Amino acid sequence: MAGTLRPEPISTRRQRIAELARRTPEMALTTLAHNIDRAWMQEALRLVRKDGATGIDGQTMAEFMSGDLDEKLGELEDLAKSGRYRAPPVRRATIPKDGGGTRKLGIPTVADKVQQRAYAMLLEDVYEQVFLDCSYGFRPGRSAHQALTTVREGLRSMGGGWVLDVDIKSFFDSVDHAILRDLVSKRVRDGVVHRMIGKWLNAGVLEGGAVVRSDRGTPQGGVISPVLANIYLHYAVDEWFENEVKPRMRGRAFMVRYADDIVMVFEDEDDARRVAEVLPHRLARFKLELSPEKTRLVYFGRPGGGSEPPGTFDFLGFTLFWGISRKGWKTIRWKTSRKRISRTLKGFNEWMRRHRHAPVAAQQQTLSRKLRGHYNYFGLTMNIRALQQVFRRVVRLWRLWLDRRSQRGRMPWRRFVEVLERHPLPRPEIVHSVFRTA
């Protein structure tokens, strides 16, 4: 019909929310949930991963999207705004950790993922105007590779220094719900938004047929958990370091945080030791603890510049160390950490063991996909040797498990070479050149 107003694009609406938050940095916003309508829910659905694991109801994304999708999204919107929405418990899953043990994940239902994404979008639009440059995890336009490069370039500009490698003990299980609600209230006081956050915090976890609830923790795996974690650590660590720590330092200092992975870098040793001493007290105000066996202060000065050789430290799956560039200069390099390589190979070995009787062509397709995924993250400039190491070990493991398909003994190397020629695995490659010269 002529003259009918078109709905405002979601991108325009999100920009307006962001602009309001930017213009009023000291004001808490009280009316946000009205922005969530059918079009907003459709955008939330678009942003949710389509291949994720199922929640406690077993419903897949394909099943959710069948039937009258518009009606389903409208019902989710209405339930949230009316207060009748009931957040289902998450399904517990675990993944191995680099340092041993397992990390707990919470997997929501598909419908709950869409609902969480809708409200995460609101929070992101507000808090992206507040978060500091030192924070990289789960933020639009920011990545782990950028965080890693920032640490390296900052250390290079200092000529090395002291690195406080910070590990918060069981962070995602330790977030205090009452403190989190108070922190959110600093910027967001919309009743619907707060009610929904409370429902997710109190939804609990389904374990052993029973729902376990706690007044602490945000399960990793929940769509809204990353932004809630960033809010918590923004006030607990980021603002404190920027506004209270750095002005009191004698030398240069900076911090880089990716979710709960944190490194603090200092030019002066005394500065580093003072911060290491006071950090546990700061975290205690937010009911967080340092992991004493994993948090450590590392001397990372230029080789030959001090009385002791420089150490190394791990960050985001990489080990940073002093090495020699192709031109013979002392420079800071990185490589895949031994813990991450071990975990990767363990995953490959377990998959091959379970699928050793599958057709070779099917095995090759999955192994190729897994290797490309590894290269896509670890394929950074300077890291080709570590990629080659993983590739060689995967090839050896494949031969080992193909051997075990038969009772006739070990497969001759020539025969295995023929298999590789017919079913080649992708060779290592540098996918990301993060700087122009090493």
Side-chain angles (χ1 to χ4, degrees):
M1 180 183 297
T4 300
L5 295 177
R6 292 185 178 183
E8 185 179 42
I10 298 300
S11 59
T12 303
R13 207 181 313 173
R14 297 191 67 179
Q15 289 172 4
R16 192 177 66 245
I17 296 170
E19 181 58 31
L20 175 62
R22 190 179 304 113
R23 291 199 317 265
T24 56
E26 304 301 324
M27 185 179 76
L29 306 179
T30 58
T31 55
L32 288 171
H34 69 279
N35 289 284
I36 299 179
D37 57 12
R38 201 68 49 86
W40 189 282
M41 296 298 293
Q42 289 171 349
E43 177 66 5
L45 174 61
R46 186 185 71 81
L47 294 174
V48 170
R49 281 183 55 185
K50 304 301 185 290
D51 59 347
T54 60
I56 62 170
D57 61 357
Q59 185 183 47
T60 65
M61 178 61 75
E63 291 169 341
F64 177 82
M65 297 184 69
S66 64
D68 192 338
L69 186 58
D70 195 57
E71 181 179 348
K72 293 178 183 178
L73 295 177
E75 183 179 6
L76 287 177
E77 175 197 345
D78 294 339
L79 288 172
K81 290 182 177 179
S82 66
R84 295 179 293 117
Y85 183 73
R86 298 182 64 183
V90 297
R91 180 172 67 83
R92 174 67 81 208
T94 59
I95 60 173
K97 296 174 66 174
D98 286 345
T102 58
R103 187 186 303 276
K104 296 179 180 179
L105 296 179
I107 303 174
T109 64
V110 172
D112 201 50
K113 290 177 184 177
V114 176
Q115 194 79 277
Q116 288 190 37
R117 175 54 62 194
Y119 284 81
M121 288 160 57
L122 272 182
L123 293 176
E124 286 172 357
D125 294 340
V126 173
Y127 280 95
E128 276 301 307
Q129 320 315 314
V130 174
F131 291 154
L132 303 180
D133 287 343
C134 63
S135 168
Y136 286 83
F138 307 106
R139 294 183 57 190
R142 293 182 157 233
S143 70
H145 293 162
Q146 291 175 336
L148 191 69
T149 302
T150 299
V151 172
R152 179 182 184 271
E153 293 306 311
L155 276 164
R156 286 183 70 191
S157 70
M158 286 184 182
W162 291 81
V163 176
L164 183 57
D165 185 0
V166 178
D167 188 284
I168 299 176
K169 186 177 181 179
S170 302
F171 168 72
F172 283 91
D173 293 329
S174 303
V175 170
D176 183 272
H177 293 178
I179 293 177
L180 176 59
R181 291 191 187 97
D182 288 343
L183 295 177
V184 172
S185 294
K186 291 177 179 289
R187 292 295 285 144
V188 176
R189 292 183 188 166
D190 184 294
V192 174
V193 176
H194 271 267
R195 186 167 60 232
M196 290 298 290
I197 291 174
K199 289 177 183 289
W200 285 312
L201 293 178
N202 296 323
V205 178
L206 184 65
E207 289 187 291
V211 177
V212 180
R213 293 185 172 87
S214 172
D215 60 355
R216 304 184 77 175
T218 61
Q220 284 183 276
V223 176
I224 203 167
S225 289
V227 67
L228 294 179
N230 273 336
I231 292 171
Y232 206 89
L233 288 173
H234 168 78
Y235 292 107
V237 180
D238 301 0
E239 275 200 340
W240 170 73
F241 190 88
E242 184 67 26
N243 299 331
E244 298 183 39
V245 172
K246 286 175 66 175
R248 292 177 168 85
M249 298 292 95
R250 295 192 303 184
R252 289 175 290 175
F254 70 92
M255 184 189 84
V256 175
R257 180 176 66 81
Y258 190 95
D260 62 330
D261 288 320
I262 305 170
V263 291
M264 299 177 178
V265 181
F266 305 89
E267 188 175 33
D268 182 83
E269 179 182 358
D270 288 340
D271 287 343
R273 295 194 180 280
R274 285 164 52 205
V275 174
E277 183 178 349
V278 75
L279 180 59
H281 304 288
R282 172 64 185 184
L283 293 178
R285 293 178 55 184
F286 295 83
K287 298 187 178 181
L288 300 174
E289 297 179 48
L290 286 178
S291 176
E293 66 277 6
K294 296 180 181 179
T295 298
R296 62 195 189 105
L297 185 59
V298 180
Y299 172 64
F300 201 78
R302 184 181 294 274
S307 60
E308 59 181 297
T312 67
F313 66 96
D314 291 353
F315 186 52
L316 300 177
F318 290 84
T319 297
L320 282 83
F321 62 99
W322 279 96
I324 303 298
S325 73
R326 288 174 295 181
K327 298 181 179 180
W329 301 334
K330 294 176 182 178
T331 189
I332 299 170
R333 303 179 68 85
W334 52 47
K335 61 183 177 181
T336 311
S337 71
R338 282 190 288 181
K339 291 179 180 178
R340 185 58 67 91
I341 289 177
S342 177
R343 187 176 106 184
T344 297
L345 293 174
K346 183 178 179 180
F348 271 101
N349 187 66
E350 180 62 22
W351 186 91
M352 292 180 202
R353 183 189 67 80
R354 294 198 313 266
H355 298 88
R356 63 185 180 275
H357 294 299
V360 174
Q363 291 187 41
Q364 183 262 352
Q365 289 181 0
T366 300
L367 293 175
S368 296
R369 178 177 55 79
K370 289 178 176 291
L371 279 171
R372 291 191 185 97
H374 184 80
Y375 302 156
N376 281 339
Y377 182 76
F378 290 101
L380 297 185
T381 307
M382 299 189 296
N383 199 37
I384 190 64
R385 290 183 180 177
L387 300 184
Q388 291 168 340
Q389 178 185 354
V390 168
F391 175 78
R392 289 193 298 265
R393 293 287 298 277
V394 168
V395 169
R396 291 173 191 165
L397 286 171
W398 199 22
R399 183 189 182 193
L400 172 68
W401 286 110
L402 289 178
D403 275 347
R404 297 189 180 186
R405 289 157 58 106
S406 171
Q407 302 295 323
R408 290 180 293 181
R410 188 169 179 81
M411 176 187 296
W413 179 252
R414 189 187 324 178
R415 168 68 177 140
F416 182 61
V417 169
E418 292 174 357
V419 172
L420 285 177
E421 288 175 349
R422 288 198 304 270
H423 306 285
L425 297 177
R427 302 194 68 83
E429 62 175 323
I430 297 300
V431 180
H432 307 283
S433 178
V434 294
F435 48 85
R436 293 183 178 178
T437 58

